[in-house]
Tab-separated table of all heavy atoms in Angstrom:
chain	number	residue	atom	x	y	z
A	183	SER	N	101.142	87.334	122.493
A	183	SER	CA	100.452	88.577	122.821
A	183	SER	C	101.368	89.737	122.458
A	183	SER	O	102.154	90.221	123.271
A	183	SER	CB	100.087	88.618	124.310
A	183	SER	OG	99.487	89.849	124.650
A	184	ASN	N	101.280	90.162	121.218
A	184	ASN	CA	102.120	91.240	120.708
A	184	ASN	C	101.301	92.515	120.557
A	184	ASN	O	100.256	92.512	119.913
A	184	ASN	CB	102.709	90.866	119.335
A	184	ASN	CG	104.017	90.111	119.472
A	184	ASN	OD1	104.934	90.552	120.146
A	184	ASN	ND2	104.098	88.962	118.840
A	185	VAL	N	101.786	93.588	121.152
A	185	VAL	CA	101.191	94.896	120.923
A	185	VAL	C	101.994	95.559	119.808
A	185	VAL	O	103.181	95.835	119.956
A	185	VAL	CB	101.215	95.759	122.194
A	185	VAL	CG1	100.650	97.143	121.906
A	185	VAL	CG2	100.427	95.088	123.303
A	186	GLU	N	101.346	95.779	118.672
A	186	GLU	CA	102.036	96.325	117.515
A	186	GLU	C	101.902	97.842	117.492
A	186	GLU	O	100.800	98.389	117.621
A	186	GLU	CB	101.466	95.738	116.213
A	186	GLU	CG	101.733	94.242	116.071
A	186	GLU	CD	101.219	93.701	114.752
A	186	GLU	OE1	100.336	94.358	114.148
A	186	GLU	OE2	101.690	92.640	114.321
A	187	VAL	N	103.032	98.511	117.365
A	187	VAL	CA	103.066	99.967	117.265
A	187	VAL	C	103.259	100.307	115.794
A	187	VAL	O	104.293	99.983	115.204
A	187	VAL	CB	104.199	100.557	118.118
A	187	VAL	CG1	104.243	102.065	117.969
A	187	VAL	CG2	104.016	100.165	119.578
A	188	ARG	N	102.265	100.965	115.213
A	188	ARG	CA	102.269	101.241	113.779
A	188	ARG	C	102.467	102.730	113.506
A	188	ARG	O	102.218	103.578	114.372
A	188	ARG	CB	100.962	100.785	113.124
A	188	ARG	CG	100.723	99.282	113.226
A	188	ARG	CD	99.370	98.918	112.641
A	188	ARG	NE	99.124	97.482	112.717
A	188	ARG	CZ	99.443	96.621	111.764
A	188	ARG	NH1	99.986	97.074	110.630
A	188	ARG	NH2	99.203	95.344	111.895
A	189	CYS	N	102.870	103.013	112.294
A	189	CYS	CA	102.957	104.395	111.820
A	189	CYS	C	101.549	104.862	111.458
A	189	CYS	O	100.913	104.287	110.576
A	189	CYS	CB	103.892	104.497	110.617
A	189	CYS	SG	103.867	106.118	109.812
A	190	GLU	N	101.069	105.886	112.164
A	190	GLU	CA	99.730	106.423	111.916
A	190	GLU	C	99.772	107.712	111.101
A	190	GLU	O	98.747	108.368	110.938
A	190	GLU	CB	99.022	106.682	113.247
A	190	GLU	CG	98.837	105.444	114.112
A	190	GLU	CD	97.885	104.435	113.507
A	190	GLU	OE1	97.116	104.835	112.605
A	190	GLU	OE2	97.901	103.265	113.921
A	191	VAL	N	100.943	108.076	110.609
A	191	VAL	CA	101.085	109.300	109.817
A	191	VAL	C	100.817	108.980	108.355
A	191	VAL	O	101.385	108.025	107.804
A	191	VAL	CB	102.493	109.909	109.981
A	191	VAL	CG1	102.644	111.167	109.141
A	191	VAL	CG2	102.767	110.212	111.445
A	192	GLN	N	99.940	109.745	107.739
A	192	GLN	CA	99.610	109.516	106.334
A	192	GLN	C	100.829	109.792	105.466
A	192	GLN	O	101.530	110.796	105.657
A	192	GLN	CB	98.458	110.422	105.900
A	192	GLN	CG	97.146	110.138	106.615
A	192	GLN	CD	96.054	111.093	106.222
A	192	GLN	OE1	96.287	112.030	105.460
A	192	GLN	NE2	94.858	110.879	106.727
A	193	SER	N	101.079	108.879	104.551
A	193	SER	CA	102.246	109.003	103.680
A	193	SER	C	102.053	110.182	102.728
A	193	SER	O	101.037	110.280	102.034
A	193	SER	CB	102.460	107.716	102.885
A	193	SER	OG	102.703	106.632	103.754
A	194	GLN	N	103.037	111.074	102.715
A	194	GLN	CA	102.985	112.216	101.808
A	194	GLN	C	103.379	111.820	100.389
A	194	GLN	O	103.061	112.483	99.426
A	194	GLN	CB	103.911	113.326	102.314
A	194	GLN	CG	103.587	113.777	103.738
A	194	GLN	CD	102.212	114.392	103.855
A	194	GLN	OE1	101.767	115.081	102.939
A	194	GLN	NE2	101.534	114.141	104.960
A	195	ASN	N	104.127	110.726	100.285
A	195	ASN	CA	104.540	110.215	98.982
A	195	ASN	C	104.733	108.712	99.116
A	195	ASN	O	104.433	108.119	100.154
A	195	ASN	CB	105.824	110.907	98.495
A	195	ASN	CG	106.894	110.937	99.579
A	195	ASN	OD1	107.137	109.928	100.227
A	195	ASN	ND2	107.503	112.094	99.783
A	196	PHE	N	105.254	108.102	98.083
A	196	PHE	CA	105.405	106.642	98.075
A	196	PHE	C	106.415	106.169	99.118
A	196	PHE	O	106.287	105.078	99.679
A	196	PHE	CB	105.828	106.176	96.681
A	196	PHE	CG	105.992	104.678	96.575
A	196	PHE	CD1	104.891	103.853	96.485
A	196	PHE	CD2	107.255	104.100	96.591
A	196	PHE	CE1	105.032	102.483	96.401
A	196	PHE	CE2	107.408	102.734	96.504
A	196	PHE	CZ	106.286	101.926	96.404
A	197	ASP	N	107.437	106.995	99.387
A	197	ASP	CA	108.492	106.577	100.303
A	197	ASP	C	108.034	106.542	101.749
A	197	ASP	O	108.555	105.776	102.549
A	197	ASP	CB	109.703	107.503	100.169
A	197	ASP	CG	110.362	107.376	98.803
A	197	ASP	OD1	110.218	106.293	98.205
A	197	ASP	OD2	110.981	108.343	98.341
A	198	GLY	N	107.082	107.384	102.122
A	198	GLY	CA	106.631	107.412	103.499
A	198	GLY	C	107.286	108.551	104.266
A	198	GLY	O	107.738	109.550	103.704
A	199	VAL	N	107.338	108.400	105.599
A	199	VAL	CA	107.877	109.425	106.482
A	199	VAL	C	109.080	108.850	107.218
A	199	VAL	O	109.102	107.674	107.576
A	199	VAL	CB	106.788	109.908	107.471
A	199	VAL	CG1	106.280	108.773	108.321
A	199	VAL	CG2	107.312	111.028	108.339
A	200	ALA	N	110.080	109.683	107.452
A	200	ALA	CA	111.343	109.225	108.027
A	200	ALA	C	111.266	109.180	109.548
A	200	ALA	O	110.560	109.957	110.197
A	200	ALA	CB	112.489	110.139	107.590
A	201	ILE	N	112.013	108.225	110.116
A	201	ILE	CA	112.160	108.124	111.564
A	201	ILE	C	113.274	109.070	111.998
A	201	ILE	O	114.410	108.967	111.535
A	201	ILE	CB	112.490	106.680	111.980
A	201	ILE	CG1	111.341	105.745	111.594
A	201	ILE	CG2	112.762	106.594	113.470
A	201	ILE	CD1	111.640	104.275	111.854
A	202	ILE	N	112.971	109.991	112.912
A	202	ILE	CA	113.960	110.934	113.418
A	202	ILE	C	114.679	110.361	114.634
A	202	ILE	O	115.904	110.457	114.762
A	202	ILE	CB	113.293	112.274	113.773
A	202	ILE	CG1	112.638	112.876	112.528
A	202	ILE	CG2	114.308	113.245	114.354
A	202	ILE	CD1	113.596	113.174	111.410
A	203	GLU	N	113.917	109.733	115.516
A	203	GLU	CA	114.487	109.197	116.752
A	203	GLU	C	113.704	107.961	117.149
A	203	GLU	O	112.480	107.906	116.973
A	203	GLU	CB	114.422	110.251	117.862
A	203	GLU	CG	115.072	109.835	119.154
A	203	GLU	CD	114.936	110.909	120.229
A	203	GLU	OE1	114.420	112.003	119.913
A	203	GLU	OE2	115.334	110.650	121.376
A	204	ILE	N	114.394	106.966	117.693
A	204	ILE	CA	113.751	105.724	118.113
A	204	ILE	C	114.521	105.145	119.286
A	204	ILE	O	115.753	105.259	119.351
A	204	ILE	CB	113.677	104.712	116.941
A	204	ILE	CG1	112.850	103.486	117.333
A	204	ILE	CG2	115.052	104.318	116.464
A	204	ILE	CD1	112.519	102.574	116.163
A	205	VAL	N	113.804	104.534	120.235
A	205	VAL	CA	114.466	103.941	121.400
A	205	VAL	C	115.247	102.710	120.958
A	205	VAL	O	114.881	102.043	119.983
A	205	VAL	CB	113.439	103.569	122.481
A	205	VAL	CG1	112.743	104.789	123.014
A	205	VAL	CG2	112.409	102.578	121.925
A	206	PRO	N	116.326	102.362	121.630
A	206	PRO	CA	117.118	101.184	121.246
A	206	PRO	C	116.304	99.895	121.379
A	206	PRO	O	115.453	99.764	122.261
A	206	PRO	CB	118.294	101.212	122.239
A	206	PRO	CG	118.361	102.619	122.722
A	206	PRO	CD	116.959	103.125	122.727
A	207	GLU	N	116.567	98.983	120.482
A	207	GLU	CA	115.889	97.687	120.528
A	207	GLU	C	116.307	96.932	121.778
A	207	GLU	O	117.476	96.934	122.170
A	207	GLU	CB	116.212	96.867	119.282
A	207	GLU	CG	115.386	95.592	119.165
A	207	GLU	CD	115.590	94.887	117.842
A	207	GLU	OE1	116.608	95.172	117.183
A	207	GLU	OE2	114.734	94.061	117.472
A	208	GLY	N	115.343	96.261	122.401
A	208	GLY	CA	115.604	95.529	123.632
A	208	GLY	C	115.317	96.324	124.885
A	208	GLY	O	115.362	95.772	125.987
A	209	SER	N	115.016	97.629	124.731
A	209	SER	CA	114.734	98.456	125.905
A	209	SER	C	113.427	98.029	126.558
A	209	SER	O	112.457	97.674	125.891
A	209	SER	CB	114.649	99.930	125.507
A	209	SER	OG	115.850	100.360	124.891
A	210	ILE	N	113.412	98.080	127.890
A	210	ILE	CA	112.202	97.815	128.655
A	210	ILE	C	111.521	99.152	128.911
A	210	ILE	O	112.110	100.059	129.522
A	210	ILE	CB	112.507	97.107	129.980
A	210	ILE	CG1	113.298	95.815	129.716
A	210	ILE	CG2	111.221	96.798	130.729
A	210	ILE	CD1	112.569	94.799	128.888
A	211	VAL	N	110.304	99.303	128.422
A	211	VAL	CA	109.592	100.578	128.531
A	211	VAL	C	108.301	100.378	129.317
A	211	VAL	O	107.736	99.284	129.358
A	211	VAL	CB	109.278	101.160	127.136
A	211	VAL	CG1	110.550	101.485	126.398
A	211	VAL	CG2	108.416	100.197	126.322
A	212	LYS	N	107.872	101.478	129.927
A	212	LYS	CA	106.611	101.482	130.644
A	212	LYS	C	105.509	102.062	129.751
A	212	LYS	O	105.791	102.663	128.725
A	212	LYS	CB	106.735	102.314	131.921
A	212	LYS	CG	107.726	101.757	132.926
A	212	LYS	CD	107.770	102.635	134.173
A	212	LYS	CE	108.760	102.070	135.197
A	212	LYS	NZ	108.829	102.927	136.407
A	213	LYS	N	104.296	101.884	130.186
A	213	LYS	CA	103.167	102.412	129.429
A	213	LYS	C	103.263	103.936	129.374
A	213	LYS	O	103.458	104.605	130.388
A	213	LYS	CB	101.850	101.985	130.072
A	213	LYS	CG	100.623	102.446	129.310
A	213	LYS	CD	99.352	101.936	129.967
A	213	LYS	CE	98.117	102.395	129.184
A	213	LYS	NZ	96.865	101.890	129.789
A	214	GLY	N	103.122	104.491	128.157
A	214	GLY	CA	103.192	105.921	127.965
A	214	GLY	C	104.584	106.455	127.702
A	214	GLY	O	104.749	107.653	127.451
A	215	ALA	N	105.607	105.584	127.758
A	215	ALA	CA	106.981	106.037	127.524
A	215	ALA	C	107.213	106.329	126.053
A	215	ALA	O	106.535	105.795	125.164
A	215	ALA	CB	107.970	104.981	128.012
A	216	PHE	N	108.200	107.192	125.777
A	216	PHE	CA	108.528	107.574	124.407
A	216	PHE	C	109.102	106.383	123.644
A	216	PHE	O	109.931	105.625	124.158
A	216	PHE	CB	109.545	108.717	124.411
A	216	PHE	CG	110.152	108.995	123.066
A	216	PHE	CD1	109.455	109.716	122.098
A	216	PHE	CD2	111.414	108.512	122.740
A	216	PHE	CE1	110.004	109.960	120.860
A	216	PHE	CE2	111.973	108.758	121.506
A	216	PHE	CZ	111.269	109.474	120.562
A	217	LEU	N	108.653	106.234	122.385
A	217	LEU	CA	109.163	105.167	121.527
A	217	LEU	C	109.804	105.704	120.250
A	217	LEU	O	110.959	105.423	119.965
A	217	LEU	CB	108.033	104.193	121.151
A	217	LEU	CG	107.451	103.334	122.263
A	217	LEU	CD1	106.334	102.450	121.716
A	217	LEU	CD2	108.518	102.488	122.926
A	218	VAL	N	109.042	106.484	119.471
A	218	VAL	CA	109.498	106.887	118.139
A	218	VAL	C	109.106	108.347	117.892
A	218	VAL	O	108.027	108.793	118.295
A	218	VAL	CB	108.875	106.002	117.031
A	218	VAL	CG1	109.425	106.383	115.666
A	218	VAL	CG2	109.125	104.534	117.307
A	219	LYS	N	110.009	109.077	117.237
A	219	LYS	CA	109.711	110.427	116.750
A	219	LYS	C	109.873	110.421	115.234
A	219	LYS	O	110.930	110.080	114.704
A	219	LYS	CB	110.681	111.451	117.358
A	219	LYS	CG	110.443	112.884	116.870
A	219	LYS	CD	109.115	113.414	117.398
A	219	LYS	CE	108.962	114.915	117.118
A	219	LYS	NZ	108.855	115.211	115.691
A	220	LEU	N	108.787	110.779	114.531
A	220	LEU	CA	108.788	110.810	113.072
A	220	LEU	C	108.951	112.249	112.580
A	220	LEU	O	108.632	113.214	113.292
A	220	LEU	CB	107.493	110.206	112.522
A	220	LEU	CG	107.212	108.758	112.927
A	220	LEU	CD1	105.852	108.324	112.409
A	220	LEU	CD2	108.296	107.820	112.437
A	221	ASP	N	109.422	112.394	111.364
A	221	ASP	CA	109.677	113.707	110.776
A	221	ASP	C	108.351	114.435	110.522
A	221	ASP	O	107.494	113.949	109.784
A	221	ASP	CB	110.446	113.535	109.468
A	221	ASP	CG	110.869	114.867	108.873
A	221	ASP	OD1	110.725	115.889	109.576
A	221	ASP	OD2	111.340	114.884	107.719
A	222	ASP	N	108.182	115.636	111.136
A	222	ASP	CA	106.946	116.401	110.971
A	222	ASP	C	107.195	117.770	110.350
A	222	ASP	O	106.348	118.673	110.458
A	222	ASP	CB	106.243	116.580	112.324
A	222	ASP	CG	107.087	117.365	113.316
A	222	ASP	OD1	108.267	117.624	113.018
A	222	ASP	OD2	106.568	117.717	114.393
A	223	ALA	N	108.340	117.970	109.699
A	223	ALA	CA	108.667	119.279	109.130
A	223	ALA	C	107.645	119.700	108.085
A	223	ALA	O	107.139	120.834	108.104
A	223	ALA	CB	110.076	119.247	108.524
A	224	LYS	N	107.322	118.834	107.172
A	224	LYS	CA	106.343	119.180	106.137
A	224	LYS	C	104.962	119.420	106.746
A	224	LYS	O	104.206	120.287	106.303
A	224	LYS	CB	106.274	118.080	105.083
A	224	LYS	CG	105.397	118.444	103.888
A	224	LYS	CD	105.424	117.357	102.849
A	224	LYS	CE	104.633	117.782	101.613
A	224	LYS	NZ	103.262	118.225	101.926
A	225	LEU	N	104.626	118.646	107.766
A	225	LEU	CA	103.331	118.826	108.416
A	225	LEU	C	103.249	120.177	109.116
A	225	LEU	O	102.171	120.797	109.142
A	225	LEU	CB	103.095	117.693	109.413
A	225	LEU	CG	102.829	116.312	108.813
A	225	LEU	CD1	102.812	115.246	109.889
A	225	LEU	CD2	101.513	116.301	108.042
A	226	GLN	N	104.359	120.654	109.683
A	226	GLN	CA	104.347	121.968	110.310
A	226	GLN	C	104.101	123.058	109.268
A	226	GLN	O	103.362	124.017	109.521
A	226	GLN	CB	105.683	122.212	111.025
A	226	GLN	CG	105.924	121.317	112.236
A	226	GLN	CD	104.999	121.632	113.393
A	226	GLN	OE1	104.282	122.638	113.392
A	226	GLN	NE2	104.994	120.764	114.395
A	227	THR	N	104.710	122.916	108.087
A	227	THR	CA	104.454	123.867	107.003
A	227	THR	C	102.999	123.808	106.568
A	227	THR	O	102.346	124.847	106.349
A	227	THR	CB	105.376	123.571	105.815
A	227	THR	OG1	106.743	123.630	106.246
A	227	THR	CG2	105.163	124.560	104.690
A	228	ASP	N	102.481	122.603	106.431
A	228	ASP	CA	101.067	122.440	106.066
A	228	ASP	C	100.154	123.051	107.128
A	228	ASP	O	99.095	123.607	106.805
A	228	ASP	CB	100.744	120.963	105.885
A	228	ASP	CG	101.460	120.360	104.693
A	228	ASP	OD1	101.926	121.129	103.837
A	228	ASP	OD2	101.563	119.116	104.630
A	229	LEU	N	100.560	122.963	108.396
A	229	LEU	CA	99.749	123.517	109.472
A	229	LEU	C	99.647	125.043	109.344
A	229	LEU	O	98.552	125.617	109.477
A	229	LEU	CB	100.361	123.134	110.818
A	229	LEU	CG	99.642	123.666	112.056
A	229	LEU	CD1	98.236	123.090	112.143
A	229	LEU	CD2	100.434	123.323	113.321
A	230	ALA	N	100.777	125.703	109.090
A	230	ALA	CA	100.747	127.164	108.925
A	230	ALA	C	99.894	127.568	107.731
A	230	ALA	O	99.083	128.518	107.809
A	230	ALA	CB	102.171	127.689	108.774
């Protein structure tokens, strides 16, 4: 019973989007806890 956490950010290019921050492997997390922060700099520019 594996819950898979996937990247839901559309790839801007072939390389994809970079991971800025991620919780250490082996950490015990609760539902709703922070897991991964992806780079959104280009998306912020696109938003403006």
Side-chain angles (χ1 to χ4, degrees):
S183 177
N184 272 308
V185 177
E186 294 183 339
V187 178
R188 298 176 180 269
C189 171
E190 300 293 342
V191 179
Q192 296 177 356
S193 298
Q194 303 297 324
N195 48 46
F196 181 77
D197 294 334
V199 60
I201 298 175
I202 300 299
E203 184 182 355
I204 187 169
V205 296
E207 188 173 19
S209 302
I210 304 298
V211 296
K212 296 181 179 179
K213 182 177 180 179
F216 168 78
L217 292 179
V218 183
K219 179 68 171 66
L220 301 175
D221 186 10
D222 62 351
K224 187 177 184 307
L225 289 172
Q226 293 291 350
T227 303
D228 293 343
L229 179 63

